[in-house]
Amino acid sequence: MARAVSNRRKMLNTALAWLVGLVIFFPILWIIVLSFKTEGDAIRTPLEVLGSVWTLESYAVVQDRSDYFKHFTNSVIIALGSTLLGVLVAVPAAWSMAFVPSKRTRGILMWMLSTKMLPAVGVLYPIYLLFIELGLLDSRTGLVVVLMLINLPIIVWMLYTYFREIPAEILEAARMDGASLRSELLYVLTPMAIPGIASTILLNVILAWNEAFWTLNLTAAKAAPLTAFIASYSSPEGLFYAKLSAASVMAIMPILIMGWFSQKQLVRGLTFGAVK
Amino acid sequence: MKQIQLQKITKRFGNVEVIPPLDLEIETGEFVVFVGPSGCGKSTLLRLIAGLEDVTDGQILINGKDATAIAPAERGLAMVFQSYALYPHMTVRNNIAFPLRMAGIDKAEQARRVEEAAKTLNLSEYLDRRPGQLSGGQRQRVAIGRAIVREPTAFLFDEPLSNLDAALRVGMRLEISELHKRLATTMIYVTHDQVEAMTMADKIVVLNAGVIEQVGSPLELYHTPKNTFVAGFIGSPRMNLLAGSAAQKYGAHTIGIRPEHIGISADKGDWQGVVGVSEHLGSDTFFHVNCPDFSQPLTVRASGEVEFVYGDKVYLTPDKTHVHKFDDRGLRIA
């Protein structure tokens, strides 16, 4: 039953929601504002900043000094590559856990998720050494593999919850119809789970795009994605707010635009299949 | 010829024995109905035959060959599920063609068989729709179409009509019966609805707690139920089962009398009672009569309209030639 909410209460709720939204969005908004200012103006007080001239100077300098498109390409390859590879591994894993569960399925799921709670820096040293050994340092292949492994628990969890919504009888029908395990996954389960798989891919592309710890630690120049591109403008002594902001805006814009157009799928993804 | 034979089939889930060792033979071309209350193991038995569940013990023979361990698809059986289990992302055409596609049959032959099945089932206009755009009855027909194109050894139906409304159910019941007459293929049909069982079956298998209570033709079960369970389960409305002195008079522990075998009269009869609820169907009237001699009301069926109302005092007389007698274990006497 709908609960009666008075008009005053409704307005208050709306105002509060806008306030929270603005507080969360403010840093991004401020970065966008600063990116259009000169270095000198960018460090003034907020009111002075807003009153100063708008300029594209920082963008020009950033584009001139570093190769945005190389970093962008690296980000795209790493984010998409790790996500798609992860989905490829996770579909059979989630299938077996959703449709042929054993006593330990629940435990395995929890254990997988628990690896996400491990501080990443704890395994930096061994992974760094492995990368040296395997010649993967500063390579896109290396990052694709590491980010795939980092996000795999989330991908498996998400796909598992989506698969659980698919009635087992349909898969049994496919088995009766002579579908092999491969055909069952390929022609029946995967097409039925497309909305779920799409949400999973979207969310994990964003997670991989934003991932900074591994991308900064395991790359130097060749494979550096946009996270490294931003980082190269933060320096401890000089305060290049405007350039740093311009670099940040350039780095987050693609993913922000993608997120904007796929809000519906993303909400579904973030609620792990709870919204039907 | 025996087409499907179950020999000492047993199914356990962990420590729970759902089906104790069970034997059953199904002849080629027969329409066999498994009927029983919820949880009696009838669906499990069907799934064992289909190969969707593993047999704990015993053997399943299909056309004389041991099929106990082979994959569902290789048993040559087709199944129609309660929820229809259609592939929602495929058109009706692709749904029906799916088993053919999986069998690697060439496109032209696929199309020919799909068209043929669609014609049989009046689905020709719907071939390019998706299951979501069809009504319940149409979906059911698509599920049957998907089974027909495989030209299976036998059809397995798992409560296929229970999701349909009453009117549609009667229609589909006739369609399935007619299909059986036309194809003359073995059909195994699971239902909890004894009317479906009676109207469709050549042979009914009554199951209770995983055990076969009786196997026989609908009329055999109706006329000579082997025990009180079958007596009470087959027939609508239920047979009246009476114990005590009324039964002793017939030399039995319990007697069973069907509602249509009790006469109702205003002035004389064996048992006196008071009319409770009456149900008027037009062709028949069912009276629920409370008799002081018995703990439960008796159901009496009278042909046509009979004028008794709530609270009327009446007399009931059983038809002596149709009294079923059971011993203290509930088994039929003679």
Side-chain angles (χ1 to χ4, degrees):
Chain A
M1 203 184 82
R3 234 181 302 175
V5 181
S6 71
N7 260 344
R8 237 184 86 150
R9 186 76 183 270
K10 253 190 229 165
M11 274 162 63
L12 207 73
N13 281 347
T14 311
L16 203 71
W18 271 99
L19 189 73
V20 171
L22 280 174
V23 166
I24 292 171
F25 182 65
F26 185 77
I28 294 172
L29 183 71
W30 200 244
I31 285 173
I32 296 172
V33 170
L34 290 186
S35 71
F36 291 104
K37 299 293 169 184
T38 61
E39 286 302 344
D41 290 337
I43 51 171
R44 291 171 198 261
T45 60
L47 273 179
E48 287 170 329
V49 167
L50 285 176
S52 62
V53 279
W54 299 81
T55 167
L56 285 168
E57 186 191 295
S58 302
Y59 286 96
V61 174
V62 166
Q63 181 52 32
D64 195 41
R65 238 192 251 169
S66 42
D67 187 351
Y68 172 77
F69 285 101
K70 187 190 82 185
H71 291 94
F72 174 79
T73 314
N74 282 339
S75 269
V76 170
I77 288 171
I78 292 164
L80 279 181
S82 67
T83 302
L84 295 181
L85 193 65
V87 168
L88 222 57
V89 175
V91 165
W95 172 86
S96 69
M97 287 195 264
F99 296 108
V100 210
S102 74
K103 273 187 297 195
R104 293 186 189 83
T105 299
R106 206 78 213 162
I108 291 173
L109 277 166
M110 290 315 289
W111 167 75
M112 276 185 4
L113 206 61
S114 74
T115 61
K116 290 295 291 177
M117 291 152 205
L118 185 84
V121 71
V123 287
L124 175 60
Y125 194 43
I127 286 189
Y128 197 85
L129 290 182
L130 270 174
F131 265 53
I132 294 176
E133 206 65 33
L134 298 170
L136 289 174
L137 267 185
D138 201 18
S139 75
R140 295 193 286 222
T141 317
L143 276 185
V144 164
V145 171
V146 164
L147 291 192
M148 184 271 278
L149 291 173
I150 299 290
N151 286 334
L152 198 55
I154 295 181
I155 302 179
V156 173
W157 257 96
M158 288 179 71
L159 290 180
Y160 168 78
T161 48
Y162 295 125
F163 286 178
R164 291 259 307 218
E165 289 176 20
I166 291 170
E169 269 196 350
I170 292 183
L171 299 187
E172 284 176 350
R175 240 165 283 164
M176 290 295 295
D177 285 345
S180 62
L181 184 55
R182 192 180 142 271
S183 314
E184 186 185 320
L185 287 177
L186 208 61
Y187 300 125
V188 181
L189 181 68
T190 308
M192 282 181 73
I194 284 227
I197 293 175
S199 310
T200 310
I201 289 178
L202 270 171
L203 187 69
N204 281 281
V205 163
I206 293 175
L207 287 176
W209 186 280
N210 293 339
E211 206 289 325
F213 181 79
W214 294 103
T215 47
L216 289 182
N217 280 303
L218 298 175
T219 60
K222 253 186 1 196
L226 286 167
T227 46
F229 170 79
I230 301 176
S232 68
Y233 284 91
S234 78
S235 57
E237 60 279 340
L239 290 168
F240 301 112
Y241 277 177
K243 284 190 228 31
L244 182 58
S245 298
S248 299
V249 170
M250 290 166 84
I252 61 172
M253 230 9 108
I255 209 75
L256 215 62
I257 291 167
M258 190 189 94
W260 183 266
F261 283 110
S262 52
Q263 276 181 62
K264 232 170 97 183
Q265 278 79 14
L266 268 179
V267 170
R268 197 182 137 88
L270 285 165
T271 47
F272 269 44
V275 178
K276 284 191 190 170
Chain B
M1 200 188 107
K2 307 210 179 342
Q3 186 152 57
I4 298 174
Q5 290 164 277
L6 308 183
Q7 300 177 336
K8 298 262 170 298
I9 283 293
T10 312
K11 178 65 184 174
R12 276 189 292 269
F13 290 113
N15 292 326
V16 186
E17 193 169 64
V18 191
I19 297 184
L22 175 151
D23 294 281
L24 184 68
E25 286 180 344
I26 292 163
E27 305 283 331
T28 306
E30 241 182 346
F31 197 121
V32 179
V33 175
F34 294 171
V35 69
S38 309
C40 70
K42 54 191 189 296
S43 282
T44 308
L45 194 57
L46 192 76
R47 292 169 59 82
L48 288 173
I49 296 172
L52 294 172
E53 297 282 354
D54 292 327
V55 172
T56 311
D57 227 335
Q59 258 195 333
I60 297 174
L61 303 182
I62 298 175
N63 287 331
K65 273 180 271 172
D66 185 2
T68 320
I70 65 175
E74 281 148 40
R75 299 187 184 201
L77 308 172
M79 186 149 164
V80 176
F81 292 84
Q82 181 174 2
S83 64
Y84 321 133
L86 299 178
Y87 310 121
H89 55 290
M90 296 183 199
T91 59
V92 169
R93 188 190 305 280
N94 288 340
N95 261 283
I96 298 177
F98 190 74
L100 303 175
R101 190 170 142 209
M102 290 297 109
I105 287 167
D106 72 78
K107 284 256 159 79
E109 175 66 8
Q110 280 186 29
R112 193 190 64 76
R113 287 215 232 165
V114 170
E115 294 292 341
E116 199 183 287
K119 226 165 82 188
T120 310
L121 295 160
N122 289 324
L123 284 169
S124 301
E125 313 164 42
Y126 307 110
L127 281 175
D128 293 313
R129 296 211 192 156
R130 280 171 204 270
Q133 298 165 299
L134 302 178
S135 69
Q138 290 165 340
R139 283 181 211 182
Q140 189 54 268
R141 278 207 280 274
V142 176
I144 293 171
R146 196 171 58 180
I148 290 179
V149 287
R150 299 184 56 197
E151 296 170 0
T153 312
F155 290 94
L156 311 178
F157 291 93
D158 188 5
E159 307 219 18
L161 306 185
S162 55
N163 285 349
L164 301 178
D165 65 58
L168 212 52
R169 203 149 54 208
V170 175
M172 282 305 292
R173 203 164 79 193
L174 286 170
E175 277 187 45
I176 293 174
S177 292
E178 209 178 291
L179 195 70
H180 176 244
K181 294 274 180 293
R182 202 154 5 120
L183 300 175
T185 309
T186 312
M187 291 188 176
I188 307 177
Y189 189 104
V190 163
T191 180
H192 60 266
D193 181 350
Q194 59 94 20
V195 177
E196 263 173 39
M198 291 295 282
T199 50
M200 301 172 89
D202 293 323
K203 183 157 100 185
I204 297 179
V205 177
V206 183
L207 284 155
N208 182 26
V211 177
I212 296 181
E213 296 281 355
Q214 190 171 358
V215 179
S217 73
L219 290 181
E220 257 168 53
L221 300 192
Y222 179 81
H223 291 303
T224 51
K226 246 165 115 179
N227 53 40
T228 47
F229 180 83
V230 178
F233 196 80
I234 298 291
S236 173
R238 284 167 59 95
M239 183 189 274
N240 298 292
L241 290 168
L242 311 168
S245 60
Q248 273 159 19
K249 252 183 29 200
Y250 288 88
H253 179 269
T254 309
I255 54 168
I257 309 153
R258 298 207 179 272
E260 52 271 43
H261 298 139
I262 300 179
I264 185 164
S265 151
D267 38 63
K268 61 176 196 304
D270 288 6
W271 305 317
Q272 192 208 51
V274 177
V275 174
V277 174
S278 41
E279 297 165 305
H280 300 271
L281 302 180
S283 60
D284 295 302
T285 308
F286 299 123
F287 295 107
H288 298 270
V289 181
N290 296 298
C291 298
D293 296 352
F294 310 116
S295 53
Q296 298 148 310
L298 261 61
T299 312
V300 179
R301 174 181 191 166
S303 266
E305 280 291 315
V306 181
E307 293 303 321
F308 289 113
V309 293
Y310 186 86
D312 278 359
K313 206 190 216 180
V314 290
Y315 292 91
L316 305 177
T317 313
D319 175 350
K320 308 256 182 320
T321 56
H322 285 105
V323 173
H324 304 266
K325 293 178 251 180
F326 302 98
D327 66 14
D328 55 350
R329 285 171 302 157
L331 298 178
R332 185 178 191 84
I333 307 171

